[in-house]
Amino acid sequence: MGARTILHVDLDAFFAAVEQRDRPELKGRPVIVGGSDPTQRGVVSAASYEARAFGVHSAMPLRTAYRLCPHGVYLPVDGRKYQAASREVMAILRRFTDQVQPISIDEAFLDVTGSRALFGDGEAIGRSIRAAVREEVGLTASVGVATTKLVAKIGSDLRKPDALVVVPPGDEAVFLAPLPISRLWGVGEKTAAALREFG
């Protein structure tokens, strides 16, 4: 069988993308989901890529986001709508394997090692998933393909949005070597600083 084939599928700017999908007038505009009144307390749940260009990111206080992007479109969280879109995407993933491990509402790992005979290699499966999510759910997803969860997740995050990054078996070290330590899953600012001190 050889090396395992693991995919990490990550929906791009998920809450904001759902809002842009459902309200075409928001396409191309900076959309910030977290609250309709950015002068009140609250945090950003999701920011469209147009909003990210102004430095807005998730978990940021809404007031900070408003200072950075006063002309943004601020919307409340619509959990029911996002859950429905998530269920549609997870159903697509399960067509390719029963080995699906959701890790949040907008991302999941898939072990497609046993699916290659049916659907092709990891790259082919990644392309099929991205196409189905776009055509059936109206959203974009970034996919990382690798032999481990860690490398697949780093891959999916590397060229967002709407990207497919494949790390062939044996190329993991070459792929990871030039990346900053902060790319590692779970490494925040403090851990990254500590690891840099250790060289």
Side-chain angles (χ1 to χ4, degrees), residues 14-146:
F14 179 48
F15 295 178
V18 172
E19 297 295 350
Q20 288 177 316
R21 176 197 71 180
D22 293 351
R23 295 171 58 183
E25 73 273 14
L26 299 180
K27 279 202 169 58
R29 295 183 65 188
V31 173
I32 296 120
V33 178
S36 52
D37 184 354
T39 64
Q40 299 296 309
R41 284 172 63 101
V43 295
V44 175
S45 294
S48 70
Y49 284 90
E50 296 85 358
R52 292 180 194 194
F54 292 92
V56 178
H57 57 80
S58 59
M60 169 183 280
L62 276 173
R63 289 172 181 164
T64 306
Y66 188 59
R67 270 202 309 276
L68 293 169
C69 190
H71 59 289
V73 179
Y74 290 82
L75 300 171
V77 174
D78 187 344
R80 189 174 294 174
K81 182 160 62 173
Y82 311 145
Q83 285 286 356
S86 175
R87 279 195 297 273
E88 288 181 66
V89 172
M90 297 300 168
I92 289 170
L93 303 186
R94 289 189 181 93
R95 287 184 211 159
F96 295 90
T97 176
D98 59 357
Q99 302 287 306
V100 177
Q101 180 189 4
I103 52 174
S104 70
I105 191 172
D106 62 349
E107 57 181 319
F109 287 112
L110 290 75
D111 186 335
V112 297
T113 310
S115 308
R116 295 183 301 213
L118 273 176
F119 300 110
D121 62 10
E123 181 174 358
I125 294 171
R127 287 188 194 288
S128 297
I129 286 170
R130 287 171 64 235
V133 170
R134 185 185 291 107
E135 289 160 20
E136 297 174 38
V137 192
L139 299 171
T140 64
S142 293
V143 178
V145 182

Side-chain angles (χ1 to χ4, degrees), residues 110-186:
L110 290 75
D111 186 335
V112 297
T113 310
S115 308
R116 295 183 301 213
L118 273 176
F119 300 110
D121 62 10
E123 181 174 358
I125 294 171
R127 287 188 194 288
S128 297
I129 286 170
R130 287 171 64 235
V133 170
R134 185 185 291 107
E135 289 160 20
E136 297 174 38
V137 192
L139 299 171
T140 64
S142 293
V143 178
V145 182
T147 57
T148 67
K149 288 180 178 179
L150 176 71
V151 178
K153 182 160 172 66
I154 292 171
S156 72
D157 195 45
L158 202 57
R159 299 197 191 109
K160 283 178 140 290
D162 198 18
L164 175 63
V165 173
V166 180
V167 182
D171 285 5
E172 295 85 1
V174 174
F175 169 73
L176 294 171
L179 300 177
I181 199 78
S182 55
R183 282 281 181 189
L184 276 177
W185 188 16

